[in-house]
Amino acid sequence: MSQTRGRYDFCIGLVLAMSSSIFIGGSFILKKKGLLRLARKGSMRAGEGGHAYLKEWLWWAGLLSMGAGEVANFAAYAFAPATLVTPLGALSVLVSAILSSFFLNEKLNLHGKIGCLLSILGSTVMVIHAPQEEEVETLNEMSHKLGDPGFVVFATLVVIVSLILIFVVGPRHGQTNILVYITICSVIGALSVSCVKGLGIAIKELFAGKPVLTHPLSWILLLSLIVCVSTQINYLNRALDIFNTSIVTPIYYVIFTTSVLTCSAILFKEWQHMAADDIIGTFSGFLTIIVGIFLLHAFKDLNFTLANLPLSLRKDDRAANGTLLNTYDCFNHDEESSACLGEIQSTESLSARRNGSLSAF
């Protein structure tokens, strides 16, 4: 009976996690469009410390969508392990990429489609190998886990690093280095996930008739969650306002998921109850998702489709035979000059764009 109940909870958590990804993926697009509208109006940008986005209805629509996603995500942590719920956030990246191709005029080329497929396959592998049952079931157990020396050290380091990034590094390099604001969101997110997990357990106990409202840990977790989420929203807005969505989304996913998996391993110790093949499968799925996200965004500016593949193969054959046309030849062949010139301009444009967007690295 207990095993059947565990499987039932696992399925509920899986469905909630997937629903959360759909809402959160759509929220990125709505918030970005709202910020772009404000930029066109000349309002002080969020990246410069402005808060004009609070008057933009599109931004609020994005916030509500993200709120719905976070509620679903919140509920998912109450039924399924963080090792499963957090990596499935990759689906929000896929939703964001697909919607951005329609509403932000960002094309999804062949590399992007392959990246989407790999991300789905990686998520499937992680679902198959994820732990099926939870170790922490009550607030008393959660309190004991939070007092573990390993987690205390981890949480202290997260707070110190975050404060340094916010008050020292952020004012100097936040406008030029994409990792500053995203790292703040990600490491603080690891603590927020722990708070969500604890509150999920508290809610389950509340429905079971236990006096969780008189437990001090419930209110500590709630206040901590409010602080963490507020910080995440603020610095994620800044990152989205300054840098391209196609860059912010995958980097945020990778750093955030890595932080949460590290926190989960220290706090909940779910890895101790997994077989070696499940651990390998989980890491393999996670790495597959990372590769998929890289393909989805790293080559996003390349106009490459299946129709271009035969042409690319022919060019490779020409290069191997030493007969590849140079730039001078392009301008001396009327039929190919336009195509070659377009390729040259596209390459230069892509190089300039990458230098502008990725110079922060």
Side-chain angles (χ1 to χ4, degrees):
M1 182 66 181
S2 177
Q3 185 176 2
T4 303
R5 179 65 181 177
R7 172 68 65 174
Y8 178 73
D9 288 347
F10 180 86
C11 292
I12 293 177
L14 177 60
V15 172
L16 288 171
M18 295 176 65
S19 302
S20 170
S21 297
I22 295 174
F23 284 109
I24 293 176
S27 72
F28 279 102
I29 306 303
L30 292 171
K31 293 171 76 174
K32 181 65 176 182
K33 285 188 71 67
L35 293 173
L36 290 174
R37 287 182 58 176
L38 289 174
R40 287 194 295 267
K41 294 177 181 178
S43 302
M44 186 176 182
R45 305 183 65 172
E48 299 173 351
H51 299 282
Y53 56 83
L54 295 176
K55 300 178 181 179
E56 176 60 50
W57 71 269
L58 271 176
W59 185 88
W60 280 105
L63 182 64
L64 291 176
S65 178
M66 177 170 282
E70 293 297 342
V71 169
N73 196 54
F74 181 98
Y77 281 108
F79 293 96
T83 309
L84 168 69
V85 176
T86 303
L88 285 181
L91 297 178
S92 67
V93 179
L94 304 186
V95 173
S96 177
I98 294 173
L99 292 180
S100 64
S101 65
F102 289 100
F103 299 105
L104 297 179
N105 297 321
E106 299 177 0
K107 295 182 179 180
L108 188 63
N109 58 15
L110 181 60
H111 295 87
K113 294 175 182 177
I114 295 175
C116 289
L117 178 61
L118 288 176
S119 297
I120 294 174
L121 291 176
S123 300
T124 303
V125 172
M126 293 203 70
V127 170
I128 294 174
H129 292 281
Q132 302 292 315
E133 57 184 14
E134 285 297 301
E135 181 182 356
V136 182
E137 297 292 342
T138 65
L139 276 181
N140 290 330
E141 292 179 4
M142 186 68 181
S143 178
H144 178 73
K145 292 289 184 183
L146 292 174
D148 184 79
F151 179 76
V152 171
V153 172
F154 174 79
T156 302
L157 289 176
V158 166
V159 172
I160 292 175
V161 169
S162 299
L163 291 176
I164 292 175
L165 289 174
I166 291 173
F167 295 106
V168 180
V169 182
R172 298 178 182 178
H173 306 288
Q175 297 287 328
T176 57
N177 194 319
I178 191 174
L179 294 178
V180 175
Y181 292 150
I182 294 181
T183 301
I184 295 174
C185 297
S186 301
V187 296
I188 291 295
L191 296 182
S192 67
V193 167
S194 301
C195 296
V196 167
K197 186 69 175 177
L199 288 174
I201 295 172
I203 292 175
K204 291 177 69 175
E205 286 196 302
L206 180 63
F207 287 140
K210 297 182 180 179
V212 296
L213 296 179
T214 59
H215 201 298
L217 182 60
S218 300
W219 300 104
I220 294 175
L221 291 174
L222 180 60
L223 293 176
S224 300
L225 179 62
I226 293 174
V227 173
C228 291
V229 171
S230 300
T231 304
Q232 284 182 268
I233 291 176
N234 182 32
Y235 286 96
L236 183 58
N237 277 332
R238 297 191 181 194
L240 286 171
D241 184 50
I242 298 172
F243 304 102
N244 194 300
T245 308
S246 63
I247 300 176
V248 172
T249 305
I251 295 177
Y252 176 67
Y253 168 76
V254 172
I255 300 179
F256 172 72
T257 304
T258 303
S259 301
V260 172
L261 290 179
T262 303
C263 182
S264 178
I266 295 174
L267 179 59
F268 301 113
K269 297 180 174 61
E270 294 167 344
W271 301 94
Q272 294 182 356
H273 303 279
M274 297 174 65
D277 58 337
D278 287 332
I279 294 177
I280 295 174
T282 300
F283 275 108
S284 298
F286 181 47
L287 291 176
T288 303
I289 294 173
I290 293 177
V291 172
I293 293 176
F294 175 78
L295 288 175
L296 180 61
H297 293 284
F299 304 101
K300 197 167 188 177
D301 293 322
L302 293 179
N303 186 18
F304 187 79
T305 62
L306 285 175
N308 303 130
L309 188 58
L311 179 60
S312 300
L313 293 176
R314 288 199 300 270
K315 289 182 178 180
D316 290 339
D317 291 338
R318 291 180 185 177
N321 294 328
T323 59
L324 184 64
L325 293 176
N326 56 25
T327 305
Y328 178 82
D329 295 328
C330 288
F331 287 102
N332 284 278
H333 290 78
D334 294 336
E335 294 180 358
E336 295 183 354
S337 61
S338 178
C340 291
L341 181 60
E343 291 176 9
I344 294 169
Q345 293 175 341
S346 176
T347 302
E348 292 176 350
S349 175
L350 175 60
S351 177
R353 190 183 298 112
R354 284 181 174 173
N355 290 335
S357 299
L358 300 181
S359 60
F361 284 96

